[in-house]
Amino acid sequence: MKGQDVILGVLLEAPMSGYDIKHHFEKHFPDMFVASFGTIYPTLNRMEKEGLIEKEIILQEGKPNKNIYHITEMGKEAFHAYIQSPIEPKTIKYDFMMRLVFGKHVSQQQILEWLNQELNQLKEDLLKLKIQQEDSCDCYCACQKLALRFGIAIQQAGVTELENIIAEFECSSQNEKTF
Amino acid sequence: MKGQDVILGVLLEAPMSGYDIKHHFEKHFPDMFVASFGTIYPTLNRMEKEGLIEKEIILQEGKPNKNIYHITEMGKEAFHAYIQSPIEPKTIKYDFMMRLVFGKHVSQQQILEWLNQELNQLKEDLLKLKIQQEDSCDCYCACQKLALRFGIAIQQAGVTELENIIAEFECSSQNEKTF
DNA sequence: GTCCACATGTAAAGAGTTACATGATTAT
DNA sequence: ATAATCATGTAACTCTTTACATGTGGAC
């Protein structure tokens, strides 16, 4: 799953500019894929040269012009090649977990701070997903609702477990100093 | 969190070769960080040039020689700079979830296949973590056990939710064809 | 008066992957 | 015979990030 595949997937829904695409990513699947403008714009230009998409320039006043991209037949074929290829294993880079692995090199204070920080982050993300779920009544297909539900279940489990861990941690560090 | 940081973290435990380091990664934190030999060897060479680690060549018969790397004082400082820097947000690339988002473009058959595939993968990973947890009595510090426990909770939630989703999916596709 | 939203793009650098090359030993 | 384990390394490539450049209009 590369930038190109996801871009084709969203252009299949509606023609869009690079700017729109980034906001679409952030709104609809912030947890599955991230891309910066530095990735999106060059990718769009390459895809246009290759004939996967077509540019339509919208002249605007007071704002820069917009390049609206439409998917072509070739683009649709490229998307179907992706969607029918074997699923790629997920890759995670989870600095918080790595810190726990190396936890013996820092103070208990530091670890507690990390735990609370991560808990806040997880709670925030969970809230966003739940809001998305409530707003999604009609515009999402059944499959997208499944994805959301799956994501929420995982996130919720993370929050619950972290809360337990923090409670125990605070308890044990009051009694014995050698956690 | 780059390759260098994790390498320094494991060399802090014990001197090791590039080959050992990769196996250490795979055994102890397969879900948090992945690195290929193509990353590890060039990184080790660069780190040696920079004085973060020192090479000790072990001559072997019947096998290629081993380069055992030891962490230096400079390396320890570099590690502490990492461990005290702000935690980086986790990044995920989760093709399976993306496929669900684009699910309307494929058959129900295909989706069910994806769901079952992912369930098997999650179950397998969960089993590995549980085995690791049982084997970990002494060699892991309290923090590492927390990391493991946290990972297991998340993984377990994924398995449970996917099982529910699959059960519902099979039910609904028997009755109405328009999932 | 300062920051954010709109809108696109380039250049340089960083990080990592895949595939190749080498070669002995051990297990099936 | 054939594959896996041990062990290191390079080269080419891909992907992505960060930082810069440009410029208007509206909100606080």
Side-chain angles (χ1 to χ4, degrees), chain B residues 75-113:
Chain B
K76 286 180 192 173
E77 280 167 36
F79 178 77
H80 281 99
Y82 156 66
I83 206 81
Q84 269 146 38
S85 69
I87 293 189
E88 287 167 38
K90 77 162 169 265
T91 53
I92 318 177
K93 232 183 168 188
Y94 205 169
D95 198 16
F96 164 69
M97 293 260 269
M98 211 68 230
R99 302 290 177 123
L100 288 185
V101 169
F102 296 136
K104 68 157 87 162
H105 303 293
V106 300
S107 67
Q108 287 176 57
Q109 223 72 36
Q110 177 71 87
I111 291 167
L112 193 56
E113 209 181 299

Side-chain angles (χ1 to χ4, degrees), chain A:
Chain A
M1 174 189 48
K2 302 172 222 163
Q4 175 178 314
D5 302 316
V6 192
I7 289 174
L8 288 173
V10 304
L11 290 184
L12 218 49
E13 295 302 302
M16 255 181 251
S17 68
Y19 194 85
D20 296 334
I21 288 171
K22 179 154 192 274
H23 289 285
H24 190 94
F25 282 2
E26 282 164 6
K27 189 174 174 196
H28 298 292
F29 27 89
D31 292 338
M32 297 167 230
F33 193 82
V34 182
S36 62
F37 286 128
T39 309
I40 292 171
Y41 289 126
T43 303
L44 285 170
N45 285 325
R46 199 207 65 224
M47 287 166 72
E48 200 203 352
K49 273 185 209 147
E50 291 173 2
L52 303 174
I53 53 178
E54 273 167 3
K55 177 160 46 174
E56 175 198 355
I57 300 171
I58 308 284
L59 301 169
Q60 296 189 124
E61 284 165 33
K63 291 182 206 173
N65 293 336
K66 250 188 175 185
N67 301 341
I68 301 284
Y69 292 95
H70 300 254
I71 192 166
T72 62
E73 272 313 307
M74 257 185 78
K76 288 182 191 173
E77 279 166 37
F79 178 77
H80 281 100
Y82 156 66
I83 206 80
Q84 269 146 38
S85 70
I87 292 187
E88 288 168 35
K90 75 163 169 265
T91 54
I92 318 178
K93 234 182 166 186
Y94 204 169
D95 198 15
F96 163 70
M97 293 260 270
M98 213 67 230
R99 302 288 179 124
L100 288 185
V101 169
F102 296 136
K104 69 156 86 158
H105 303 292
V106 299
S107 68
Q108 287 176 57
Q109 223 71 37
Q110 177 70 90
I111 290 167
L112 194 55
E113 209 181 299
W114 285 344
L115 292 171
N116 280 309
Q117 241 177 57
E118 183 66 14
L119 178 59
N120 288 334
Q121 185 63 57
L122 288 179
K123 274 181 171 170
E124 206 183 287
D125 293 346
L126 179 59
L127 192 64
K128 272 186 207 160
L129 289 175
K130 281 184 174 169
I131 288 168
Q132 210 183 324
Q133 195 177 40
E134 275 169 28
D135 293 353
S136 75
C137 298
D138 288 333
C139 70
Y140 286 167
C141 74
C143 262
Q144 285 173 317
K145 288 179 189 168
L146 287 188
L148 212 42
R149 194 177 134 187
F150 181 65
I152 288 172
I154 289 173
Q155 205 73 12
Q156 181 66 68
V159 168
T160 304
E161 193 67 20
L162 250 193
E163 277 172 345
N164 291 338
I165 286 172
I166 289 170
E168 286 174 38
F169 196 91
E170 281 176 333
C171 214
S172 77
S173 68
Q174 271 172 4
N175 303 336
E176 4 147 13
K177 286 280 174 197
T178 53
F179 187 70

Side-chain angles (χ1 to χ4, degrees), chain B residues 131-141 144-145 148:
Chain B
I131 289 168
Q132 210 184 323
Q133 196 177 39
E134 275 169 29
D135 292 353
S136 76
C137 298
D138 288 332
C139 69
Y140 287 167
C141 74
Q144 286 173 316
K145 287 179 188 166
L148 211 42

Side-chain angles (χ1 to χ4, degrees), chain B residues 1-3 33-36 38-39 46 62-64:
Chain B
M1 175 189 48
K2 303 171 222 163
F33 194 82
V34 181
S36 61
T39 309
R46 198 207 66 226
K63 291 184 208 173

